[in-house]
Amino acid sequence: MRITCTQTEKKYLMDVVMGRDVPTVLIRGGQILNVYTGRVEQKDLVLAGRWIAYVGDYTKSGCIFNENTKIIDLDGQVVVPGYIEPHAHPFQLYHPLSLAEKVCAHGTTTLINDNLVFFSQLEVNEFIALIEEIDKRSPVKQFWWARLDAQTHLSTKQKHLFAKERVQPLIDHELVLQSGELTDWMPLLLEDEKMHGWMSQTEQNRKRIEGHAPGASFLTLSRLAAAGVTGDHESISFKEVWQRLELGYMVTLRHSSIRPDLPVLMEQLSKEKDVPWHRLMMTTDGATPPYLKKGFSDYLIRTAIQHGCPPIQAYQMVTLFPAIYYQLDSQLGGIAPGKLADFNILSSLDEPTPLQVYVEGERLAENQKVLHSFFEMDWKSYSKLKWKMNVKIKPTALQIPQKERQSFPVMNLQNPVITKMTIEELPLVDGNVHWDDDDDRCYTFLIDRKGKWMTPGVIRGFGKGIDGIASSYTSSNDLLLIGRDVHAMAQAANQVIKQKGGVVWVQNNQIIHQIQLPIAGSMSPHSVDQLIAELDPLIENLHQFGHPFDDPIYTFLFLSSTHLPQLRLTSDGLMRVKDKKVLVSSYPLP
């Protein structure tokens, strides 16, 4: 693995330390944040290639220097370890390399990634080939999870996606650091043999198991801990944080576009005495591109400090503590001899956005820009990640079944991802559904990517007067439609199909927004900055049409995701998540 020090590298490192060979880099005149002691000290930094050889007064190091050593003089700036994101979802319209390029410029040098979208589309050997290629291409280190369950309802034909022979090789792979996150953990508590086998295998491999238990009681959390869950990122209150800490969990504090919980959690934690900071980490939890305008891990540090977190602990939560938890601390997470030379140069500890970013001893970014772009990749070689539908959607197909119109379960958006169900009579004119101008309900349909079925729905609270939006960016990888005009919805759907994935909005018979997502229907081949430029006007326009939330992109993703309450669109039909009851059945696509 790339973070292992080879025998040749170790010999050179020791030759530098012992004064037998010349260092590659000397950084002097700065302060070093020692995350092991919690102190900031005036020290120099000596590098031997990818590795740190010495930290201290370089004149007393015993090292020899000549014209082959690059000397970098700092003027009191602070050097801190590279940041670690422990819970990334690297497919939020960007892909793993474009995300890595963007966040590297903000000081994040290690990502620990969800595998769900890739794993659900690729054979296991193809997925392993993909993550190994990313490992070679990406200067930012990228590790992975092994999902044990899907976030969506699986049809009978999809059950094989989480078969033992597909999941087991991932749990054993060196780039995979944990199993999870467990969004469907009830089988674990109900003695599911397959799930328990995977948990046991993960524990035998000395890897972590990430839970996903929003709102779970202390008893449920206790049972999950007994089953082997070691961490969780779903706390939204101080009480929930503390319960998890009491049970031995590693607790990841979240600050995302849909759950900006960090200010409240930090204000409450900072009032407590003897906070076990070493059991806490921080995450952006799948930041969408617009979020990244604020930063990434540097934004978390800044937010934590602004809301009462001691600065040293804020840095430790995105450096040393995740490195220890994921058993990477022999190479990552701190600035000390024998560690990889991943570090950031800051103007001060109060400004976590770096002036310069070094990865494995090489300067990779400066002033929030990477010096050499690395996000491009030949995705065409992964043919199964091509999103395509071989059907044409007709306006006449987009109808609520007549027998359901008098009493229909309506999805009321409570936030971008949570829905609440109400049973409502749909407005009919001449036997057809007719929306008044002030009615904030829209049609929503989920259409099978293979053209076999479609599921009808009605959504309230997404916006008013929207003619038709289509998105292939969904948890189920199927086609989602939202709107009031079936002709516009069909036009938007057919444009997404034509361009092989994306988001299209048709208003007044014109395409007013269009984003191409040809990689698995969820990801663009373009840079994050280009995606931001494409998304900003779409989101601004949605707000003008009455959309009330900051991040509507997540609504496209989660309307087909069955790990959150209350109503979801699935291959079987409109499903109530709590009891998996189908309230309105899907039907064949006409």
Side-chain angles (χ1 to χ4, degrees), residues 116-307:
L116 185 60
V117 167
F118 302 104
F119 186 60
S120 64
Q121 301 298 316
L122 299 173
E123 298 298 331
V124 65
N125 62 314
E126 294 173 318
F127 174 71
I128 288 174
L130 173 64
I131 65 175
E132 290 177 349
E133 181 179 358
I134 289 172
D135 183 56
K136 293 176 183 176
R137 285 177 173 269
S138 176
V140 172
K141 279 159 277 295
Q142 304 212 38
F143 298 99
W144 297 83
W145 322 342
R147 284 272 192 167
L148 306 185
D149 62 271
Q151 284 191 340
T152 58
H153 175 69
L154 297 178
S155 66
T156 302
K157 292 182 178 180
Q158 294 173 310
K159 298 292 186 183
H160 73 282
L161 292 175
F162 289 89
K164 181 179 179 181
E165 60 272 15
R166 278 176 53 84
V167 175
Q168 186 165 326
L170 297 190
I171 297 175
D172 291 335
H173 198 278
E174 62 181 357
L175 289 173
V176 174
L177 301 184
Q178 72 175 9
S179 292
E181 58 182 297
L182 300 177
T183 53
D184 184 14
W185 38 261
M186 279 305 298
L188 182 64
L189 302 184
L190 298 176
E191 299 185 292
D192 181 84
E193 184 177 343
K194 182 173 66 173
M195 184 75 79
H196 277 281
W198 287 334
M199 299 286 282
S200 177
Q201 182 183 349
T202 305
E203 291 175 330
Q204 289 172 18
N205 289 350
R206 300 180 61 81
K207 297 182 179 182
R208 304 304 186 183
I209 300 170
E210 174 74 3
H212 175 101
S217 67
F218 186 81
L219 179 58
T220 295
L221 291 169
S222 299
R223 289 167 171 169
L224 290 172
V229 174
T230 58
D232 186 273
H233 62 286
E234 287 292 332
S235 302
I236 63 172
S237 69
F238 171 78
K239 178 182 178 181
E240 292 184 344
V241 170
W242 206 260
Q243 285 181 335
R244 286 161 172 78
L245 289 171
E246 286 181 325
L247 292 168
Y249 284 78
M250 192 72 176
V251 181
T252 307
L253 307 178
R254 176 177 49 193
H255 194 65
S256 72
S257 54
I258 54 174
R259 288 287 347 167
D261 299 320
L262 196 55
V264 170
L265 296 179
M266 276 302 166
E267 288 169 4
Q268 293 172 327
L269 281 166
S270 63
K271 295 175 183 177
E272 295 294 315
K273 294 181 179 179
D274 303 320
V275 174
W277 295 104
H278 66 290
R279 299 296 296 169
L280 297 171
M281 305 186 292
M282 295 191 290
T283 180
T284 61
D285 193 14
T288 54
Y291 178 104
L292 297 176
K293 290 186 290 185
K294 304 173 184 177
F296 197 60
S297 299
D298 57 326
Y299 176 49
L300 298 179
I301 298 168
R302 181 179 293 106
T303 302
I305 293 173
Q306 289 173 346
H307 292 274

Side-chain angles (χ1 to χ4, degrees), residues 289-507:
Y291 178 104
L292 297 176
K293 290 186 290 185
K294 304 173 184 177
F296 197 60
S297 299
D298 57 326
Y299 176 49
L300 298 179
I301 298 168
R302 181 179 293 106
T303 302
I305 293 173
Q306 289 173 346
H307 292 274
C309 181
I312 300 297
Q313 278 74 30
Y315 283 92
Q316 288 172 324
M317 283 191 286
V318 297
T319 57
L320 180 61
F321 299 162
I324 292 173
Y325 178 66
Y326 286 108
Q327 302 172 83
L328 300 170
D329 55 307
S330 60
Q331 297 94 8
L332 302 175
I335 298 174
K339 310 297 183 186
L340 272 170
D342 290 4
F343 56 85
N344 300 318
I345 298 175
L346 313 180
S347 58
S348 73
L349 216 58
D350 294 328
E351 180 44 73
T353 302
L355 303 171
Q356 296 181 32
V357 180
Y358 281 75
V359 176
E360 298 184 11
E362 297 287 338
R363 186 162 58 102
L364 200 61
E366 187 169 12
N367 297 324
Q368 301 176 51
K369 297 290 183 183
V370 293
L371 301 179
H372 305 287
S373 182
F374 57 83
F375 79 88
E376 292 186 357
M377 181 170 169
D378 181 18
W379 291 99
K380 294 179 181 178
S381 60
Y382 297 93
S383 59
K384 291 183 180 177
L385 290 178
K386 294 179 181 177
W387 194 91
K388 56 184 179 181
M389 284 181 69
N390 295 320
V391 297
K392 184 174 182 179
I393 306 302
K394 298 180 179 180
T396 53
L398 304 178
Q399 300 291 333
I400 299 292
Q402 191 166 0
K403 64 179 181 179
E404 309 284 356
R405 295 174 185 174
Q406 299 297 323
S407 181
F408 198 86
V410 174
M411 310 165 76
N412 293 262
L413 279 180
Q414 303 298 294
N415 65 32
V417 301
I418 302 296
T419 68
K420 183 178 180 180
M421 181 181 73
T422 54
I423 304 297
E424 303 180 19
E425 181 176 344
L426 303 185
L428 301 178
V429 175
D430 297 329
N432 294 314
V433 177
H434 175 78
W435 310 111
D436 291 333
D437 290 342
D438 62 348
D439 197 326
D440 70 342
R441 288 175 291 185
C442 293
Y443 290 119
T444 181
F445 295 93
L446 188 68
I447 302 178
D448 178 28
R449 178 179 165 187
K450 297 180 180 178
K452 303 287 187 183
W453 51 264
M454 62 184 296
T455 292
V458 172
I459 189 169
R460 182 190 287 278
F462 184 80
K464 290 184 178 181
I466 295 170
D467 287 350
I469 298 176
S471 173
S472 63
Y473 173 69
T474 63
S475 291
S476 66
N477 207 231
D478 299 306
L479 183 63
L480 175 73
L481 308 183
I482 298 175
R484 295 155 56 96
D485 183 329
V486 294
H487 295 277
M489 294 164 73
Q491 183 182 348
N494 290 322
Q495 181 60 28
V496 170
I497 293 169
K498 179 181 178 180
Q499 68 187 34
K500 296 180 171 58
V503 178
V504 173
W505 183 352
V506 172
Q507 196 71 23

Side-chain angles (χ1 to χ4, degrees), residues 153-159 446 448 453-456 478 562 568-576 580-588:
H153 175 69
L154 297 178
S155 66
T156 302
K157 292 182 178 180
Q158 294 173 310
K159 298 292 186 183
L446 188 68
D448 178 28
W453 51 264
M454 62 184 296
T455 292
D478 299 306
T562 53
R568 302 287 146 170
L569 300 159
T570 76
S571 57
D572 286 350
L574 189 59
M575 178 180 289
R576 186 168 59 198
K580 300 294 190 287
K581 182 177 181 180
V582 173
L583 304 180
V584 179
S585 296
S586 62
Y587 51 87

Side-chain angles (χ1 to χ4, degrees), residues 534-550:
E534 293 176 355
L535 280 168
D536 276 353
L538 183 147
I539 293 172
E540 181 181 349
N541 211 359
L542 278 172
H543 289 154
Q544 292 175 0
F545 276 76
H547 185 84
F549 307 116
D550 289 337

Side-chain angles (χ1 to χ4, degrees), residues 31-51:
Q31 300 181 80
I32 305 291
L33 170 59
N34 189 318
V35 292
Y36 306 106
T37 64
R39 295 180 178 180
V40 179
E41 302 166 317
Q42 189 80 28
K43 289 188 176 181
D44 307 313
L45 193 56
V46 178
L47 308 185
R50 299 194 302 148
W51 302 90

Side-chain angles (χ1 to χ4, degrees), residues 74-90:
L74 303 182
D75 185 18
Q77 288 97 340
V78 181
V79 184
V80 302
Y83 308 144
I84 300 172
E85 166 56 85
H87 191 95
H89 298 276

